[in-house]
Amino acid sequence: MKSVFILQWQRFRRAPILVLSFLGMTILFVSVLAGFGGPNSQFTIYTYGDPSLEEEMKVKWLDRLNEAENLTFKWVEESEAHDAVSSRDAGLALKLMNDDYRILIAVQEPSSVSVENYVYQVFSEELRLQEVASQADGEEFRSELERVMNEPAIQIVTESLSGEESTFIYDDQLHVLFGMTLFFSIYTIMFSLMNVAEEKRVGTWDRLIVSPLYKWQIYTGHLLYSFLIGYFQILVAFLFFQFLFGFDLGERYGMLLLVIACYTFAIVSLGMLVMGLVKRSQQMQAVVPILATAMAMLGGAYWPIEIVTNEILLALSKGMPIYYGLDALKGAAIYNFGLPELVQPISIMLLFGVVCMGIGINLMERRA
Amino acid sequence: MLETEELKKVFKGKTAVNGVNLYMDKGESVGLLGPNGAGKSTTISMISSLIKPTSGDVKLKGQSVLKDPGIIRNVLGVVPQEIALYEELTAYENLKFFGRIYGLKGKELEAKIQEVLEIVGLKERQKEIVKTYSGGMQRRVNMAAAMLHEPELLIMDEPTVGIDPQSRTHILDTVRHLNQEKGLTVLYTSHYMEEVERLCDRVYIMDHGQIIASGTKDELKSILSGEETILIDLDRPYPDLVTDLQSHDGIRQTIETEKGLKLIVPKGSKLLGSIFQVAERHQAQILNVNVKVPTLEDVFLHLTGRKLRD
């Protein structure tokens, strides 16, 4: 087994392009789709004041505006803000006045719309409160408003099974990272498994069969290699985006490693099943892209499965290991789930793997 | 050392090998001769434990290979018909891998690799990638991989198919050296008659999945000991001449060849005169005439009615 396993790495060393290209594509796709300027990244808005702006108002507006989670309003000199916008270092800049504002913008971008909306909302709300306060007893109204806001008469709480205050937490960056990584790992694993089909074609497989090696040793050598090459690809992609792009993978590293292992096992087994079904390695080359893309689409790698409402598609997604892989990874990284909460997707992936492996090897041996 | 008992293999209702019985003594070089599709490869696949026979058994030193394939796998070297190597690796890396799977390691493995590379004449080019080799060189590495662990029995399945004459000579010399100098038992399958004549002590002739004749080369040739072969080169084909010769009383067999005709006639029958007369009647221009003793090829032709490479 060891000899067969080492041999696969030797062969990889001589022809690494295929595997490395899939890792490269993972990094490229995740970088493009989620690495830069995603909804979760902090957006800094250069803010400066009109000469008429009073110091007290400047502090008040900045405090109110910086209540936003994803926006940072940074106070700069007017000239600096102008330079940043004209050189495109900043998409827009905000000019504050005592009871009004102006937005300095060079090119309209999708992100500037949300900033404009936010600033408009803050100003209109504050000015409306000021208007009401000026008609009532100013100080008393403010304290009454604060009390009511802290103890509202009616409180609406939306709670999901996960206990969070929304139906699901959608982290775009992590979804893209998990989806694309698991998607491209299917290619790497299945194409590396094609070594078995290739060995059967050229006759080295027969040479191994008539050697003192047992058949299980030959299979294990190949499967272990395919497992590890897929596992490392996923791991490298995760580490790359965590340390270079600051993606937040949570603190459940052990669970993430376990989930990756179970998913990789399921895909290796699926690859064996496909190899058992096709007759030639060329057929495998045609089947793998179709299978990988279909699984990724149905399993929720391209978009969150939570937005799918079609019952048939939802039912089909339950048959895809990538669905359970994504579910478990998000559970560990976003919801901080441990083994008790993730035992279901992990078990399903393992069961899927065992069944596919059994059928796949059986089919291959029958054909032999 | 090795014997097969009524070996039979049926693939999807088609009988590929039917009741093959053969034996090999230690140190013997045995040829398995037959045209493409005769069942040679299936027979050696069953002997080497690669496929299970539908019925029958293979016995090595009296023990059933069918019951325990391990007994033959440790002492067997197989040179397959195809180039069964990892072509992206070097010859050295390939041999290192195949040595390891037979349990060789360390200095012993290194020494064996260098020894077999020396034998097949590729020591100087061992660090080159296999796919950059010529077909003949690849076949030599293919053979070297089967010799690393010093097998007691070497099975070679058409090891010289599609290679240059120089590499073919090298391979044949190597096999003869291993058999005669080192006492290696060799089962050599081929449809090249001259290779089998050159290498093997005994020959089994197979056709349509069955052994149709066996014995030493002389024993087989004695089948045609009362006959001789007349080869006639003609300037062009003469169908009517062939028809006339086929009905000639003294001629046992008339076969058209690329250059003209091959006639099997009784030894010492002195038929040349009447053959020339028939040729003259058809105004056939004879370019060359050669009378020779029978070869294994002639024996095969006599037994099956067709040529080995048909």
Side-chain angles (χ1 to χ4, degrees):
Chain A
M1 184 204 90
K2 197 175 149 193
S3 307
V4 178
F5 177 68
I6 292 170
L7 176 82
Q8 305 314 313
W9 289 104
Q10 271 185 308
R11 299 178 73 187
F12 166 68
R13 191 164 58 87
R14 281 284 149 75
I17 300 298
L18 189 70
V19 171
L20 293 182
S21 67
F22 288 124
L23 178 61
M25 281 204 275
T26 306
I27 290 170
L28 180 72
F29 272 68
V30 179
S31 300
V32 169
L33 296 173
F36 309 110
N40 293 331
S41 56
Q42 277 295 319
F43 204 81
T44 302
I45 293 112
Y46 285 27
T47 310
Y48 61 98
D50 186 74
S52 63
L53 181 68
E54 295 163 13
E55 184 62 24
E56 184 193 350
M57 292 305 288
K58 169 191 149 188
V59 173
K60 184 178 146 192
W61 283 124
L62 275 178
D63 285 349
R64 282 285 281 120
L65 289 166
N66 276 322
E67 283 171 10
E69 279 185 9
N70 299 330
L71 300 174
T72 305
F73 290 84
K74 183 186 172 189
W75 188 260
V76 295
E77 290 299 318
E78 184 173 356
S79 57
E80 190 183 342
H82 278 258
D83 289 347
V85 172
S86 58
S87 64
R88 302 290 310 277
D89 287 343
L92 54 81
L94 177 67
K95 180 181 180 179
L96 292 181
M97 292 177 268
N98 284 325
D99 53 3
D100 205 352
Y101 66 91
R102 296 286 181 274
I103 286 177
L104 182 66
I105 191 164
V107 179
Q108 191 77 32
E109 291 173 347
S111 55
S112 41
V113 176
S114 59
V115 175
E116 282 178 56
N117 288 340
Y118 173 70
V119 175
Y120 172 77
Q121 188 189 344
V122 169
F123 267 84
S124 55
E125 190 178 297
E126 182 59 30
L127 291 175
R128 197 163 57 243
L129 288 173
Q130 280 181 17
E131 180 67 27
V132 175
S134 68
Q135 288 176 19
D137 183 355
E139 282 306 309
E140 203 172 308
F141 170 75
R142 284 281 181 177
S143 49
E144 178 66 12
L145 179 71
E146 200 172 328
R147 190 188 63 76
V148 171
M149 290 297 281
N150 288 335
E151 295 169 11
I154 300 170
Q155 209 166 356
I156 299 171
V157 178
T158 307
E159 201 162 313
S160 68
L161 284 175
S162 63
E164 300 294 336
E165 284 190 5
S166 61
T167 310
F168 73 98
I169 298 173
Y170 178 56
D171 187 318
D172 185 46
Q173 280 189 332
L174 284 187
H175 182 82
V176 172
L177 173 63
F178 292 156
M180 288 298 124
T181 309
L182 298 194
F183 169 59
F184 281 112
S185 70
I186 298 173
Y187 285 90
T188 305
I189 292 167
M190 292 204 179
F191 280 130
S192 70
L193 272 176
M194 271 171 49
N195 282 352
V196 176
E198 195 56 19
E199 287 216 32
K200 290 191 172 183
R201 189 183 66 79
V202 299
T204 45
W205 185 266
D206 287 349
R207 207 161 199 164
L208 299 183
I209 296 295
V210 297
S211 77
L213 287 180
Y214 291 105
K215 210 174 263 184
W216 69 262
Q217 292 176 307
I218 305 170
Y219 274 120
T220 310
H222 275 284
L223 295 176
L224 192 59
Y225 164 75
S226 297
F227 175 85
L228 285 179
I229 202 96
Y231 191 83
F232 283 139
Q233 178 175 317
I234 297 172
L235 201 59
V236 167
F238 284 7
L239 291 174
F240 182 87
F241 283 100
Q242 184 178 25
F243 290 109
L244 265 73
F245 286 81
F247 282 34
D248 183 11
L249 292 176
E251 291 166 359
R252 294 270 190 178
Y253 294 115
M255 278 314 300
L256 288 177
L257 292 176
L258 179 65
V259 172
I260 299 169
C262 295
Y263 171 76
T264 312
F265 169 67
I267 298 300
V268 169
S269 304
L270 182 64
M272 289 298 284
L273 176 62
V274 175
M275 290 227 302
L277 291 170
V278 301
K279 286 180 181 168
R280 286 187 294 273
S281 56
Q282 291 92 328
Q283 288 176 317
M284 181 93 174
Q285 282 175 343
V287 167
V288 169
I290 298 169
L291 185 71
T293 311
M295 281 210 307
M297 288 173 76
L298 290 169
Y302 296 155
W303 47 76
I305 200 74
E306 288 85 352
I307 65 168
V308 177
T309 52
N310 185 299
E311 291 297 324
I312 297 169
L313 292 179
L314 283 171
L316 285 173
S317 72
K318 302 287 193 292
M320 308 292 152
I322 199 167
Y323 168 86
Y324 299 100
L326 287 167
D327 189 33
L329 284 174
K330 284 195 252 181
I334 300 172
Y335 298 101
N336 202 29
F337 284 168
L339 190 58
E341 294 92 347
L342 297 179
V343 72
Q344 188 190 6
I346 284 174
S347 304
I348 293 172
M349 283 190 285
L350 290 175
L351 181 67
F352 184 91
V354 170
V355 171
C356 287
M357 185 71 77
I359 299 172
I361 290 181
N362 200 279
L363 287 173
M364 285 173 75
E365 284 304 301
R366 272 193 195 181
R367 185 167 297 148
Chain B
M1 182 183 185
L2 181 102
E3 61 180 321
T4 68
E5 294 174 353
E6 292 296 325
L7 267 191
K8 186 176 182 179
K9 185 67 188 178
V10 180
F11 291 113
K12 292 178 182 172
K14 193 181 170 193
T15 306
V17 172
N18 194 4
V20 165
N21 293 297
L22 58 82
Y23 74 92
M24 294 175 71
D25 288 329
K26 191 169 170 56
E28 253 195 324
S29 176
V30 174
L32 191 55
L33 202 59
N36 289 331
K40 305 188 299 291
S41 293
T42 308
T43 302
I44 62 170
S45 292
M46 287 189 282
I47 292 174
S48 59
S49 76
L50 183 62
I51 57 173
K52 282 185 180 173
T54 307
S55 63
D57 202 355
V58 178
K59 287 191 173 168
L60 181 77
K61 297 171 187 171
Q63 286 184 283
S64 170
V65 170
L66 207 59
K67 285 180 186 158
D68 181 11
I71 60 167
I72 198 165
R73 289 177 180 176
N74 286 310
V75 298
L76 176 69
V78 177
V79 183
Q81 197 174 129
E82 61 274 19
I83 309 288
L85 297 169
Y86 301 98
E87 60 170 18
E88 66 272 44
L89 303 184
T90 64
Y92 175 82
E93 287 166 339
N94 267 283
L95 294 178
K96 196 166 186 178
F97 168 69
F98 285 114
R100 273 186 187 150
I101 65 174
Y102 281 93
L104 297 172
K105 51 189 167 185
K107 287 180 181 171
E108 187 192 8
L109 174 60
E110 190 61 35
K112 290 306 300 177
I113 292 172
Q114 297 310 321
E115 186 186 326
V116 294
L117 282 168
E118 182 82 51
I119 292 172
V120 298
L122 288 171
K123 199 169 182 180
E124 305 304 318
R125 302 185 65 176
Q126 59 180 290
K127 299 288 183 186
E128 291 176 31
I129 303 287
V130 166
K131 67 178 164 195
T132 64
Y133 284 174
S134 69
M137 289 163 70
Q138 289 180 348
R139 286 226 170 258
R140 283 191 260 165
V141 183
N142 206 28
M143 189 171 144
M147 291 157 29
L148 270 171
H149 59 291
E150 291 189 347
E152 289 178 39
L153 171 63
L154 186 66
I155 295 180
M156 308 182 83
D157 189 5
E158 312 230 14
T160 59
V161 170
I163 61 168
D164 56 284
Q166 189 190 352
S167 289
R168 172 182 286 190
T169 306
H170 199 113
I171 287 176
L172 296 179
D173 287 347
T174 305
V175 177
R176 192 154 60 178
H177 166 78
L178 290 169
N179 175 243
Q180 292 180 355
E181 307 295 323
K182 299 205 165 188
L184 184 67
T185 310
V186 178
L187 177 59
Y188 193 94
T189 82
S190 178
H191 60 258
Y192 292 112
M193 193 66 70
E194 61 277 14
E195 289 182 2
V196 175
E197 284 211 68
R198 185 172 161 184
L199 290 177
C200 303
D201 308 318
R202 282 193 306 114
V203 179
Y204 287 91
I205 297 180
M206 270 193 95
D207 194 29
H208 299 302
Q210 291 179 307
I211 302 285
I212 55 172
S214 66
T216 62
K217 285 179 280 188
D218 290 339
E219 282 169 350
L220 287 172
K221 285 177 189 173
S222 71
I223 295 172
L224 297 178
S225 60
E227 294 168 340
E228 58 191 11
T229 306
I230 300 172
L231 295 171
I232 302 172
D233 293 353
L234 299 167
D235 64 329
R236 64 176 177 83
Y238 293 90
D240 294 341
L241 172 65
V242 176
T243 312
D244 261 13
L245 290 173
Q246 277 170 345
S247 58
H248 194 292
D249 284 344
I251 300 172
R252 290 185 180 162
Q253 225 172 342
T254 304
I255 304 123
E256 286 185 273
T257 64
E258 281 177 18
K259 292 182 176 177
L261 298 170
K262 182 189 257 189
L263 310 176
I264 310 289
V265 300
K267 204 169 188 176
S269 55
K270 296 177 182 172
L271 282 170
L272 277 179
S274 69
I275 291 168
F276 280 124
Q277 282 176 2
V278 177
E280 196 176 348
R281 200 162 58 236
H282 289 277
Q283 294 181 328
Q285 192 179 345
I286 294 174
L287 304 175
N288 187 30
V289 176
N290 186 14
V291 181
K292 62 186 194 95
V293 291
T295 62
L296 282 179
E297 178 89 41
D298 300 324
V299 175
F300 185 82
L301 197 65
H302 172 77
L303 292 169
T304 65
R306 59 195 179 113
K307 289 195 283 185
L308 260 172
R309 286 165 219 180
D310 280 350

